Amino acid sequence: MAEVTAATSVAAAPPPSTRRERSGWYFYDWANSAFQTTVITVFLGPFLTTVTELAAGCALGADECSGRVHPLGIGIAAGSFYPYLISLSVLLQVFVLPIVGAIADRTPHKKRLLGVFAFIGSLATILFAFVTGERYLLGGLLFLIANIAFGAAFVVNNSFLPQLAAPDDRDKVSSRGWALGYLGGGLLLLLNLVAVMLLSEDGNDQRTMDLARWSIVSAGVWWAAFTVLPLLWLRDRPIVVSPDVPTPRGNVLTDGFRQLGGTLRHLKAYPLTLFFLLAFLVFNDGIQTVITLASQYGTEELKLEQNTLIVTILIVQFLAFGGALALGRLAERIGAWKTVLLSLVLWIGVIVAAFWLPAEEPLPFMILGACIGIVLGGSQALSRSLFSQMIPVGKEGEYYGFYEISDKGTSWLGPLAFGLVFQLTDSYRIGIVSLVFFFVVGFFLLLAVPIRRAIVAAGNTPPRVL
């Protein structure tokens, strides 16, 4: 019944956006991807773990550290501090991001909200300049602030998409933004890695630590500097008022909580949207796990050198730029839904190929990294645009809050499966191939979603090609 009711009120196309406005939106992907690549993917984990080990009384550069630290009086192994911190940040995002999304829907100053979260996150990243010696608690606090702000700003940024592009243009716009993000993130990472290779000294662990710290700081500066462009070029849109969205009462925070409460009570009104979110939750967990565990698989199972892993990371970043654009163009021909399904088939091929990779041979690993790069950007960009078609008008931020939780808040499933399989089999190869489960199940769940009916049920106009 909810689908029939919603279908009778198909949403009008968004007001026309300018090329300048869309370029501003693209550049926020360019700005924030530096945090994801330079900070999260490469430098922060080893850097903060080393700082924590120093606080635990271990010598700088020690091969092993059995010391413990006591944040808030809780004794934990130094090597566990960063993983626990990641889990805590994910838990906090589960509570914060839907609220941020609901507030974004209720404010006429969405651009300002984007700037607030982006600058909070970038400032926290820049303040890593003061994480020296044994200041692991300062580093942990700054990471929590930066990562939560990163997710919140991404929610606000994603919520602009339905306002910038009509249904038929959304895949192209999303793909361009994602592609530019990979290019920007890869460029800063390349500059930082070159600096580390040129300036580091053999046997000087303190210098390596300092280079890692300033690389993290550079990501904060990059994030803040390029956020200025979307703030200059984007424009705010009027708040959408519909029967499903409360009329603003003047207090943005209160209105946001009211809207979130109403949505949580009526989630069953859009079951097909939630079913798509479930499919995304499953296959994206597989994607995130592959990204997270690729380095461990390369070092522990394939016995590859660190330089090989660094080069492969750069290959993934730069080829993801072209992959996002290529799959975006394919989506214009066959539709985003079919293209994402095709990408999941390619992901299955990647996982199977990873199982057969020979040890101590860098070239096959790099070639597989190139394949990951080609499929990675497109599958993520098109999932974002496809989801935008199924969001009720006026609730873009809120639903992207839930979407972003499924992006980051469920990435424990894949690592858990990998860890359990490894524990039972003592084989990284069987562990990595077990991730095929997420892509196969995600494929069939997505295949079962009647996309056109889901879009109409949300009150939107379906694109010509799905």
Side-chain angles (χ1 to χ4, degrees), residues 16-335:
S17 61
T18 64
R19 183 176 181 180
R20 176 187 176 93
E21 192 176 6
R22 291 191 297 273
S23 297
W25 188 76
Y26 301 150
F27 263 99
Y28 187 70
D29 276 306
W30 171 283
N32 71 35
S33 292
F35 179 80
Q36 184 68 42
T37 54
T38 291
V39 179
I40 302 296
T41 304
V42 177
F43 288 104
L44 182 63
F47 171 79
L48 195 54
T49 298
T50 301
V51 173
T52 309
E53 288 173 350
L54 289 173
C58 302
L60 184 61
D63 292 334
E64 294 184 5
C65 176
S66 58
R68 300 174 74 84
V69 290
H70 299 83
L72 304 178
I74 303 171
I76 62 173
S80 298
F81 179 68
Y82 181 64
Y84 288 158
L85 203 62
I86 292 284
S87 299
L88 178 59
S89 72
V90 167
L91 179 64
L92 293 174
Q93 283 183 334
V94 167
F95 292 100
V96 171
L97 298 191
I99 296 172
V100 169
I103 293 172
D105 292 333
R106 298 292 82 209
T107 177
H109 306 294
K110 188 185 294 187
K111 184 171 68 171
R112 185 183 303 170
L113 191 64
L114 171 65
V116 166
F117 286 118
F119 288 134
I120 288 174
S122 58
L123 177 60
T125 308
I126 292 169
L127 290 177
F128 265 87
F130 299 100
V131 181
T132 56
E134 302 176 3
R135 298 175 179 173
Y136 78 100
L137 283 178
L138 175 61
L141 177 62
L142 290 175
F143 168 70
L144 287 177
I145 295 171
N147 203 40
I148 292 170
F150 172 78
F154 209 63
V155 167
V156 179
N157 186 63
N158 282 345
S159 71
F160 275 99
L161 178 58
Q163 301 171 344
L164 294 176
D168 289 323
D169 298 325
R170 224 165 275 175
D171 297 331
K172 177 173 63 178
V173 171
S174 181
S175 296
R176 287 178 177 176
W178 215 282
L180 199 62
Y182 275 111
L183 187 61
L187 178 59
L188 181 66
L189 179 58
L190 175 61
L191 294 174
N192 280 317
L193 292 174
V194 169
V196 169
M197 287 188 289
L198 292 178
L199 300 177
S200 60
E201 299 174 353
D202 290 339
N204 190 341
D205 295 320
Q206 184 58 56
R207 189 176 183 86
T208 301
M209 280 280 290
D210 290 339
L211 289 170
R213 178 161 52 89
W214 288 110
S215 295
I216 293 170
V217 171
S218 74
V221 174
W222 179 286
W223 185 2
F226 284 105
T227 295
V228 172
L229 294 178
L231 296 183
L232 289 175
W233 294 347
L234 284 171
R235 62 189 175 95
D236 290 316
R237 303 298 181 101
I239 299 173
V240 175
V241 178
S242 72
D244 292 332
V245 181
T247 303
R249 293 182 177 179
N251 187 316
V252 172
L253 185 61
T254 303
D255 287 342
F257 275 103
R258 286 175 59 229
Q259 177 174 319
L260 178 60
T263 297
L264 290 174
R265 287 192 301 271
H266 300 97
L267 278 176
K268 62 182 181 180
Y270 303 102
L272 298 180
T273 300
L274 295 180
F275 196 74
F276 173 87
L277 201 57
L278 173 64
F280 174 77
L281 179 156
V282 174
F283 71 72
N284 188 64
D285 195 81
I287 293 173
Q288 298 302 322
T289 305
V290 171
I291 296 170
T292 302
L293 298 177
S295 294
Q296 182 179 359
Y297 185 69
T299 54
E300 300 296 331
E301 178 66 31
L302 304 181
K303 310 301 180 185
L304 299 174
E305 298 292 333
Q306 189 68 27
N307 287 342
T308 299
L309 301 178
I310 290 173
V311 171
T312 305
I313 289 172
L314 291 172
I315 289 172
V316 170
Q317 284 295 128
F318 287 112
L319 285 184
F321 166 76
L325 294 178
L327 290 185
R329 289 194 175 184
L330 180 62
E332 293 180 32
R333 294 175 174 269
I334 68 173

